[in-house]
């Protein structure tokens, strides 16, 4: 799972900040999470497991972003309306 996150971090064909800022923010957070995992792996096994789960969740979210399957404010709510301030295109 950490290897998949590292592969995501090595991608060079990412959209610019202007085109997809949420994806770029998630990539920065993933980079921080991977560093945290690497530090925790040498000291505390329990903390390393929690960080690994966090890295895995964030990597899954990034893959969903890249497949245009957004969650939260970027997605349509349960009634079929776009969230306020966001536009969802099919």
């Amino acid at each position: 799972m950490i290897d998949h996150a590292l592969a995501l971090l090595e991608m060079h064909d990412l959209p610019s900040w202007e085109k997809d800022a949420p994806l770029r923010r998630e990539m920065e957070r993933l980079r921080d999470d991977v560093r945290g995992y690497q530090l925790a792996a040498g000291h505390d096994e329990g903390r390393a497991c929690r960080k690994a789960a966090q890295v895995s969740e964030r990597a899954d979210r990034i893959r969903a972003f890249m497949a245009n399957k957004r969650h939260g404010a970027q997605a349509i709510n349960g009634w079929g309306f776009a969230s306020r301030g966001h536009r969802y295109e099919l």
Side-chain angles (χ1 to χ4, degrees), residues 12-50:
H12 297 290
D13 58 341
L14 295 172
S16 67
W17 277 94
E18 291 82 18
K19 289 185 180 179
D20 199 353
L23 174 65
R24 297 301 293 247
R25 272 194 303 272
E26 287 296 314
M27 293 295 283
E28 292 296 320
R29 291 176 183 150
L30 179 64
R31 183 173 287 113
D32 293 340
D33 289 344
V34 168
R35 277 192 214 125
Y37 167 77
Q38 291 170 339
L39 290 173
H43 300 290
D44 185 9
E45 188 174 325
R47 186 175 175 117
C49 288
R50 288 190 300 274

Side-chain angles (χ1 to χ4, degrees), residues 72-86:
Q74 291 85 14
I76 289 180
N77 65 17
W79 292 283
F81 299 108
S83 300
R84 194 172 88 217
H86 293 85

